[in-house]
Amino acid sequence: MNLRENVKEGLNSIKGNKLRTILTAAIIAIGITSLVGILTAIDGIQNSIDSSFSNLGSNTFDLESIRNDRGARDGKDAKSYPPIKYQQLMMFQDKFTTSSALVSVNALVTWNAEVKHGSKVTNPNCRIQGGDYNYLLVDGYDIAEGRAFSQSEVENGANMVIIGSEVRDALFDEFESPINKSITFLGGKFTVIGILGTQGAAGGDGSIDRMCLIPTLTARKLAAGRALNYEATIAVTDPLQMDRVVGMATSLMRAIRRDPVKQENSFEVKMNKSLAEKLGEITGYLRIGGFSIGFITLIGASIGLMNIMLVSVTERTREIGVRKALGATPKKIRMQFLIEALVICQLGGIGGIFMGIVVGNLISKVIDGAFVIPWLWMFVGVLIGMVVGLISGYLPAYKASKLDPIDSLRFE
């Protein structure tokens, strides 16, 4: 009896016991549904988290000067390096050409400025921030009203400003539009061209809502000779390319700064994805929990399948004796029962994968997750169905192959 005949006999046996087959396959399907469903839902949530934090600047990193107040490390005094110059960052921005990232050159002017409009004055806790054409895109800030800087305004250092929602509320009446109105701070007069959307808690201490964003070159002029801490913020459009882009940026900045080959970086690479990583760890634990629940269910399903296959061996003892009398070897008998178990498991596995995708995406949709097709978990589901079939079918198949043909023929 060849493999094709064994498969045919296994299918015929399944057709002859439809109710038992359906119940057994349903047990397998429930186990795989729980496994694939939970993991699909988690993948949907993870994709949604990655997308949300990408919009909030989580897939970004900064190239900034090393502070000279770091203190000693490993018993050695920390080396002091000159700060990154504005010209070096502009050179970096010009030479860093990759479709996987955007570069913004920016600088903080102060955290505690007073902003005025007519007779109205804000508290002295406004943040004056210099940023370029890409600053809003890189950090994921939205313009609620007005517009962003034009390229010419950035290159020429125009006295244009984009203000946060708290600054707007403090300086203008409820129904008064700030657009094209003038405000003053740090001795300069600026025209309001845009208003940032309210960030609230997403801005940490709310400093985004109290921010006045001006072009970086304008910030440089406003500092009036005072040294600013310039930095480059790089946003990676594809999170999978993060390591590659960080390596490219680091190599280019080392070349611009002329760091010797064996010397450490004379600047700091600061990653900005700690919160996203923590949420990634949580979803990792959820995956472990979901896999454990599905695995426990599958253990119960495999025990049920093994029990049913053992009953099947007992019921078909006489049939096994006839096959052996006609020349079937123990190996062929084992193969027949293993294939039967595998077919039942695969039927349950296919149904479980389909139901798991539907259930998982429904759960993901309810909690605002993304729709995903879990190709990995589909493959895992098929593989698990095969493994469960082999494990559950081996003992009954082995028992069937060891039956004595004479005793089997006498069995009633």
Side-chain angles (χ1 to χ4, degrees):
M1 186 182 289
N2 57 30
L3 179 61
R4 185 175 180 180
E5 289 175 341
N6 267 321
V7 173
K8 186 177 179 181
E9 285 299 321
L11 290 173
N12 287 334
S13 176
I14 288 170
K15 288 179 182 178
N17 298 278
K18 290 182 181 179
L19 181 58
R20 183 172 67 189
T21 300
I22 291 172
L23 291 175
T24 307
I27 296 173
I28 302 295
I30 290 170
I32 293 182
T33 297
S34 64
L35 177 66
V36 175
I38 292 172
L39 297 176
T40 299
I42 292 171
D43 281 350
I45 296 167
Q46 182 67 58
N47 287 348
S48 181
I49 289 171
D50 290 342
S51 176
S52 298
F53 276 86
S54 176
N55 292 334
L56 290 174
S58 65
N59 295 318
T60 65
F61 63 95
D62 297 326
L63 300 181
E64 56 186 40
S65 302
I66 294 178
R67 293 184 318 225
N68 293 326
D69 58 350
R70 293 181 303 166
R73 290 184 178 179
D74 300 326
K76 298 180 181 179
D77 291 335
K79 291 184 178 180
S80 176
Y81 296 102
I84 298 177
K85 296 180 180 179
Y86 176 75
Q87 292 82 0
Q88 291 176 330
L89 289 178
M90 295 306 296
M91 187 184 301
F92 173 86
Q93 189 176 43
D94 289 339
K95 292 185 176 181
F96 191 72
T97 54
T98 174
S99 59
S100 301
L102 286 173
V103 180
S104 167
V105 175
N106 52 84
L108 174 69
V109 180
T110 182
W111 287 98
N112 50 10
E114 260 187 0
V115 184
K116 300 178 182 179
H117 171 68
S119 60
K120 295 183 178 180
V121 183
T122 66
N123 293 326
N125 60 353
C126 290
R127 167 185 168 187
I128 309 300
Q129 175 72 43
D132 61 8
Y133 184 74
N134 291 329
Y135 183 81
L136 298 177
L137 295 173
V138 167
D139 280 354
Y141 301 141
D142 297 323
I143 296 287
E145 186 180 344
R147 62 176 177 86
F149 299 127
S150 66
Q151 192 68 43
S152 62
E153 288 170 346
V154 171
E155 292 174 354
N156 296 323
N159 278 19
M160 302 295 181
V161 62
I162 299 171
I163 62 175
S165 59
E166 288 189 22
V167 177
R168 183 232 180 278
D169 294 341
L171 298 181
F172 299 92
D173 296 332
E174 184 177 357
F175 298 105
E176 181 184 4
S177 175
I179 304 302
N180 295 325
K181 302 288 179 63
S182 295
I183 61 175
T184 57
F185 51 84
L186 300 181
K189 188 176 182 180
F190 298 84
T191 301
V192 178
I193 62 170
I195 303 170
L196 293 172
T198 302
Q199 302 294 316
D205 60 354
S207 62
I208 305 305
D209 295 330
R210 297 193 299 272
M211 181 172 74
C212 291
L213 179 65
I214 58 178
T216 306
L217 188 56
T218 307
R220 194 163 183 245
K221 296 175 183 177
L222 196 63
R226 179 170 60 88
L228 297 179
N229 290 321
Y230 299 100
E231 63 181 40
T233 303
I234 298 95
V236 183
T237 54
D238 181 2
L240 298 177
Q241 298 293 321
M242 175 66 82
D243 292 339
R244 183 181 70 84
V245 175
V246 170
M248 290 173 57
T250 303
S251 298
L252 177 57
M253 183 55 76
R254 284 183 63 88
I256 292 173
R257 299 270 290 176
R258 297 182 179 179
D259 292 346
V261 176
K262 295 184 179 180
Q263 178 185 293
E264 65 177 357
N265 295 335
S266 63
F267 53 93
E268 187 173 0
V269 180
K270 185 178 178 182
M271 308 297 288
N272 297 326
K273 50 175 191 171
S274 57
L275 182 54
E277 285 179 341
K278 289 178 181 178
L279 290 173
E281 290 178 4
I282 293 172
T283 54
Y285 295 139
L286 289 175
R287 281 195 185 92
I288 294 173
F291 191 88
S292 301
I293 293 170
F295 183 72
I296 292 169
T297 307
L298 284 170
I299 289 176
S302 64
I303 293 172
L305 176 61
M306 186 182 298
N307 181 55
I308 289 172
M309 293 303 297
L310 285 170
V311 172
S312 178
V313 170
T314 303
E315 289 179 349
R316 296 159 62 187
T317 299
R318 188 175 180 82
E319 175 192 331
I320 294 168
V322 172
R323 292 185 185 281
K324 283 197 168 186
L326 293 175
T329 62
K331 181 179 179 182
K332 296 295 183 182
I333 298 295
R334 283 198 303 272
M335 184 68 69
Q336 179 187 347
F337 279 86
L338 278 175
I339 288 174
E340 188 174 328
L342 283 172
V343 170
I344 292 174
C345 280
Q346 289 306 321
L347 288 173
I350 292 171
I353 289 170
F354 176 76
M355 290 190 295
I357 293 172
V358 173
V359 171
N361 279 296
L362 282 175
I363 295 172
S364 177
K365 189 69 176 176
V366 168
I367 53 182
D368 295 329
F371 179 86
V372 295
I373 301 295
W375 299 108
L376 172 62
W377 303 122
M378 289 168 65
F379 173 76
V380 169
V382 172
L383 183 64
I384 287 175
M386 188 177 295
V387 171
V388 169
L390 286 172
I391 294 173
S392 302
Y394 180 77
L395 183 59
Y398 180 79
K399 179 181 178 182
S401 69
K402 292 299 182 181
L403 290 176
D404 183 87
I406 297 175
D407 292 338
S408 298
L409 288 170
R410 289 174 178 171
F411 184 83
E412 293 294 338

